Every structure is written in structure tokens, then in C-alpha cells.
Amino acid sequence: MDLDAVKVLLESQERTFRSALELVVEQWKERIRLVEGKMTDLTKSLEFSQAEILDLKNNEKVLQKLNKEKQVAVEELQSRVAELNHRLNYQEDYTRRNNLRISGLKEQPVGETWEQTAVNVSKILEDKLQLPSVNLERAHRVGPAAAAASSHPRAVVVRFRNFSDREAAIRNASKLKGTGIYINEDLCPASLEIKKKQFPLMKKAREDGKIAFFRHTRLIIRERIDQRSSSSVPAAGSPHVGAGFSGWVAHGDSTVRPPDGTERVSSETTGDRRVSGDSTGCQQRVLRDRKKT
């Protein structure tokens, strides 16, 4: 084979190889363009998603702020409603301040009238409580009339003309001990529920030998001071009035009991009472301010 033939063959193979290489390169370029296009689409999609995420975060902050504002508004409304309910309950109790509720008073099986109920109440006040000159505005049974036939007579709500007569009946209520007749304040259902929740605590305090009683809906608990000494000194930090006696109280009252047995009530925690006396505490007395109806 001569040199020209070899040269022609090499040139032919070179063209074939170049064509094949160009084809491969073109194919790779096409693939790269496709990948670049997909990358561009993915980049745009990612940027869009990031923008949406940013908007969602901003919206979340706005919603959190609005939710917080609404929560504050709801709490304020709830506090206002609770305050209004408290005022309403207090107002209802105040309208009943001349009332008492008597339980266990024997009832006629059929047809007891208000007049008969008032007569029976007057007899109890006169015979048992030694209150002969009490003026009643009205007295009536509460509850369904069908209960009169049972062994448990219905309670009686008594309204006194004078608040002082009502207070006298409360003070003498202990004289009914053993008769099965009980005298209590006539309170609204909400106040009765508040007292009901505190009954176990009052029972426990009395079982422990303490003095426990209610002042409206507040449970007052006091220690009994069996050993009294004129030289006793109140413990540091304990509530006290004057000198020469000490005491302890729970549930919102600062009443203390001095050696002579007289109750002292601090005006700092009791709005309707004042304490007056000298600095030694020997001549202190409790003044009760009462509104006349």
C-alpha cells in the first residue's frame, strides 16, 4: 500500500471519529441544557416557596398578635363578668338583709296560709328566743307544697321590718339547740354555694377545738385561748391589736381574742367595723357600722 492510500484512509477515519465525537458532545450539551433548565425551574420554585414561607411567618406573627389581643380582651371581659356577678350577688344578698331562713318548723299537712306561718314564727321568736315585740313584714314557706306532707317541713323565709330585730333573732338562735329548728341567713344561691364549699373546713376546725363561723360568705376561724395571762406577748409576725393578748385567725379576718374574751376586729381587713381604744389595748371596743334600711 502506497503512502497516498494510507493518508486517505487516515483522513477518512479522522472525519468519522470527529463526526462521532461531535455527536457525543452535542448530546451531552443537550443534556446539560436540560439539567440547567430543570435547575432554573427548581431555583424559581424554591424562591417562590421561600417567599410563601416568609409570608406565612409574617401572617403567623400577625395572627399571634391578634390572638394575644383577643385573649387579653377575653380575660378582661371574664374579669368584668365575674365582677358584675359578684356585685349582682352582693346586691341580691343586700335586698335579703332583713330576711332569715328557718328550717325544721312544723308545717300543717294541708293548706297552711301565710298568716298561719307568720303566727308560728312569732310564737318561736317569743317562746324560744324571748323576743316578744318583733314585727314581721311577712313569712312564707319555700318549695313545692307537696313537700308539706313529708316528714321534712319546708323552710320558712321570714322578713323582718327592722334589721335590729333580725340581728336579735340571729344572736339568740343558739337557744333553739335541741329543738330541731335552725335559723340561717337568707342568701342568694351563689353565696350559698360559696358557703357550702367551706363547710368541710369549718367542720374540721371545730373538731380541732377552734372557733369557726361565717361572716356573710367568709369563713372565720379563731383559736381558743384557754390559758390567759396579762403578761403574754404576741408572737412576732402574728396579728394583734394593742398589748397584753394575742390571737390567730384565718380566711381573711384579723379578729383576735384578748384575755377578757372580747373580740377585736382590725379595720385594715374589715370594711364595716372599726377598732377604737387606747394604745395599751385595755379599753378597746368594736364599733359596728350598720346601714339602716
Side-chain angles (χ1 to χ4, degrees):
M1 181 178 293
D2 56 8
L3 185 59
D4 292 335
V6 172
K7 186 177 180 180
V8 170
L9 180 60
L10 289 174
E11 289 176 354
S12 176
Q13 289 179 349
E14 181 183 0
R15 285 193 298 269
T16 302
F17 178 77
R18 183 174 293 179
S19 298
L21 182 60
E22 290 176 354
L23 180 61
V24 171
V25 171
E26 191 64 31
Q27 290 176 350
W28 276 104
K29 287 182 178 180
E30 183 64 24
R31 290 182 180 181
I32 291 173
R33 283 194 295 268
L34 292 175
V35 171
E36 288 178 347
K38 291 181 179 180
M39 288 292 294
T40 302
D41 294 339
L42 289 174
T43 301
K44 292 180 179 179
S45 177
L46 182 59
E47 291 175 351
F48 181 77
S49 299
Q50 289 177 341
E52 284 188 336
I53 292 173
L54 184 60
D55 291 340
L56 290 175
K57 287 183 177 180
N58 293 333
N59 291 336
E60 182 183 7
K61 291 181 180 179
V62 173
L63 291 176
Q64 287 179 349
K65 183 179 179 180
L66 293 175
N67 186 43
K68 186 175 182 180
E69 292 175 354
K70 290 182 178 180
Q71 186 175 359
V72 171
V74 169
E75 290 176 354
E76 290 178 353
L77 290 175
Q78 289 176 342
S79 176
R80 180 61 175 167
V81 169
E83 180 184 356
L84 291 176
N85 283 335
H86 175 74
R87 291 185 179 183
L88 181 62
N89 293 335
Y90 178 83
Q91 186 66 31
E92 185 174 352
D93 286 342
Y94 188 81
T95 60
R96 303 185 186 198
R97 68 193 302 266
N98 282 20
N99 294 4
L100 287 178
R101 186 176 289 255
I102 302 178
S103 305
L105 184 62
K106 187 176 180 181
E107 181 178 4
Q108 295 182 7
V110 179
E112 180 177 294
T113 62
W114 290 359
E115 290 80 7
Q116 292 172 330
T117 303
V119 169
N120 293 335
V121 172
S122 297
K123 288 182 180 179
I124 292 294
L125 295 175
E126 183 175 355
D127 298 342
K128 302 294 184 181
L129 305 186
Q130 286 76 51
L131 299 173
S133 58
V134 173
N135 294 321
L136 302 181
E137 187 172 318
R138 72 182 299 178
H140 64 90
R141 301 276 180 178
V142 291
S150 66
S151 59
H152 301 285
R154 293 177 296 166
V156 178
V157 173
V158 183
R159 185 170 184 84
F160 295 80
R161 289 189 181 276
N162 299 317
F163 182 77
S164 57
D165 292 337
R166 183 257 195 194
E167 286 293 276
I170 282 285
R171 287 194 300 270
N172 293 353
S174 59
K175 297 178 180 180
L176 295 173
K177 186 176 182 180
T179 64
I181 300 175
Y182 304 93
I183 295 180
N184 296 287
E185 293 179 304
D186 181 35
L187 302 176
C188 68
S191 296
L192 290 175
E193 185 65 24
I194 293 174
K195 293 182 66 174
K196 182 179 179 181
K197 292 179 179 179
Q198 300 179 82
F199 283 154
L201 187 58
M202 181 178 69
K203 182 179 178 181
K204 177 65 169 55
R206 289 180 174 178
E207 290 175 351
D208 293 341
K210 300 176 182 178
I211 300 173
F213 61 93
F214 281 102
R215 180 173 293 143
H216 191 212
T217 57
R218 283 193 306 166
L219 176 60
I220 309 300
I221 298 177
R222 301 188 185 124
E223 291 283 2
R224 295 182 185 273
I225 302 179
D226 297 330
Q227 298 179 351
R228 299 169 180 172
S229 173
S230 60
S231 62
S232 61
V233 180
S238 63
H240 64 277
V241 179
F245 63 90
S246 62
W248 174 88
V249 72
H251 297 278
D253 194 11
S254 57
T255 303
V256 295
R257 189 175 295 276
D260 61 359
T262 306
E263 293 182 356
R264 304 290 198 264
V265 184
S266 171
S267 61
E268 293 180 358
T269 56
T270 307
D272 61 343
R273 290 170 171 80
R274 299 192 302 271
V275 176
S276 63
D278 58 12
S279 60
T280 64
C282 297
Q283 302 296 328
Q284 292 193 0
R285 57 191 175 87
V286 178
L287 302 178
R288 186 186 299 268
D289 295 335
R290 300 196 179 279
K291 298 180 179 178
K292 300 298 183 178
T293 57

